[in-house]
Amino acid sequence: MTHYIYLVRHGEHQDAEHGMVDGPLSPRGRRQASLLADRLSGVPFDSVRHSPLERAAQTAQAVAERMPSVSPEPSALLFDCVPTGMTPDTPSAFEPFFNSVTEAEIDAGRAQMSDAVSEFLVRKRGEVHDLIITHNFVIAWFVREVLQAPEWRWMTLNQAHCGLTVFAQKQGRPWTLLSHNDMAHLPVELRTGLPEIYPV
Ligand SMILES: O=C(O)[C@@H](CO)OP(=O)(O)O
């Protein structure tokens, strides 16, 4: 009996290039969400939870349209957030980003991620399939947590729009990262949301 958690970053949103913090999916984002729904259509999901932001809610809706038995539910623990600040080990290339984030935002992000890990990374009994549709930084934090990597490393992990990351846990075993940012369901022109240059 295995508990699976499928983590997906929402599809591309319409006004991302204008710096808008939220918005509906772009036409490309709707295609990504539809291909994601095809990809996941054979999975017997027990739950679908998503960030309350519109781009994540619309991505969850696209999956639910293909699977009438699932009812997506929003969770405030899956909002976009910044889980930690700059540390002595963080690559200096990230300094401009962290300079733009306030201490209050980081405190809130840290508290949110602590609660999210307690809520979502908990072993459920039996064969379980949970889907989580959320944001790049939230998935990065969960992956870092499963790998037990130092805190600062979340910032170096990236997921494409509608990329698929899967965790699994067998009874009595730790969480395993089965796949990370799998984009096999997305044609090359829909593989968006990754950095053009990866800072190291
Ligand atoms: O703003 C971003 O780059 C990421 C951070 O998590 O958010 P989103 O996945 O919503 O694009």
Side-chain angles (χ1 to χ4, degrees), residues 9-118:
R9 185 180 177 191
H10 57 80
E12 181 186 73
H13 73 113
Q14 195 159 279
D15 298 313
E17 71 271 27
H18 304 303
M20 300 293 284
V21 291
D22 195 19
L25 294 178
S26 67
R28 213 158 40 174
R30 289 198 297 274
R31 287 181 59 208
Q32 291 163 337
S34 165
L35 290 166
L36 171 74
D38 288 345
R39 172 81 187 268
L40 296 177
S41 62
V43 182
F45 285 114
D46 296 284
S47 76
V48 179
R49 307 294 299 276
H50 61 86
S51 156
L53 291 177
E54 193 176 4
R55 56 194 185 274
Q58 286 193 355
T59 305
Q61 201 48 48
V63 173
E65 277 166 18
R66 211 63 58 84
M67 295 177 222
S69 60
V70 305
S71 312
E73 284 177 38
S75 167
L77 295 177
L78 298 173
F79 262 125
D80 199 14
C81 69
V82 179
T84 65
M86 188 83 191
T87 75
D89 292 323
T90 309
S92 58
F94 294 110
E95 208 163 338
F97 169 80
F98 283 109
N99 285 341
S100 72
V101 183
T102 67
E103 282 298 318
E105 286 170 327
I106 291 165
D107 288 348
R110 181 183 285 281
Q112 181 190 320
M113 284 301 90
S114 169
D115 289 351
V117 165
S118 303

Side-chain angles (χ1 to χ4, degrees), residues 2-6 43-48 127-131:
T2 305
H3 180 184
Y4 296 91
I5 300 178
Y6 303 73
V43 182
F45 285 114
D46 296 284
S47 76
V48 179
E127 188 84 0
V128 179
H129 298 266
D130 290 329
L131 175 60

